[in-house]
Amino acid sequence: AALSPQNYLYSYKKEILLCLGGPLSNFLSAFAISYFFNAEPLEYFKECSLALGILNLLPISGFDGGRIFSALLSIFFPPNTVQTVCKAISFALIFILWCFSVYLLIKISASLSLFTFSLSLFTKIFLPDDV
């Protein structure tokens, strides 16, 4: 959903609150599993919920954290600056994820999924759709 320039502080606050809902639900479900259902089969679900909540808070374009970061920057800077900063931060974080996945692949022959995930994020965000 695009934000309108009028009443921008109110709109940006709503955007931030809306985007906090996804990671918050992940953290709440992990807490509920820990507190109410301390069963071993649910440990994987709890760990996945926590990881997804943390990953979703990263300031990468398309993630809730990216939308929050963009809304916060939009309060203080013009749209072109916000877009440039968000793309640079997204690129840096995706590059770090990719480097970490390559390290894990070399060191312990694991984490092909992280490698694939970081590569697909990069192509979705930075390559044009017609490629």
Side-chain angles (χ1 to χ4, degrees):
L3 298 175
S4 65
Q6 57 192 359
N7 298 328
Y8 64 92
L9 287 176
Y10 182 69
S11 296
Y12 293 132
K13 287 178 185 178
K14 283 176 90 174
E15 175 79 1
I16 292 167
L17 289 174
L18 176 70
C19 293
L20 284 173
L24 183 62
S25 67
N26 290 120
F27 296 136
L28 286 175
S29 66
F31 172 75
I33 293 296
S34 294
Y35 190 74
F36 296 113
F37 307 104
N38 200 7
E40 183 148 339
L42 296 175
E43 282 296 312
Y44 185 69
F45 177 78
K46 179 181 79 172
E47 291 168 3
C48 288
S49 289
L50 284 173
L52 186 59
I54 292 168
L55 186 68
N56 205 7
L57 280 175
L58 290 176
I60 295 175
S61 297
F63 287 14
D64 286 332
R67 290 174 61 189
I68 292 168
F69 186 65
S70 176
L72 286 171
L73 286 180
S74 295
I75 295 170
F76 303 105
F77 300 105
N80 289 342
T81 304
V82 171
Q83 186 177 17
T84 303
V85 169
C86 288
K87 279 207 174 238
I89 295 292
S90 294
F91 180 83
L93 287 173
I94 292 170
F95 183 72
I96 290 168
L97 278 175
W98 180 80
C99 289
F100 183 63
S101 69
V102 169
Y103 169 78
L104 290 176
L105 280 170
I106 292 169
K107 191 73 172 170
I108 60 175
S109 300
S111 194
L112 183 61
S113 58
L114 181 61
F115 177 79
T116 307
F117 176 71
S118 59
L119 196 59
S120 66
L121 270 178
F122 180 82
T123 57
K124 177 159 178 38
I125 294 173
F126 295 106
L127 293 181
D129 291 333
D130 58 350
V131 172

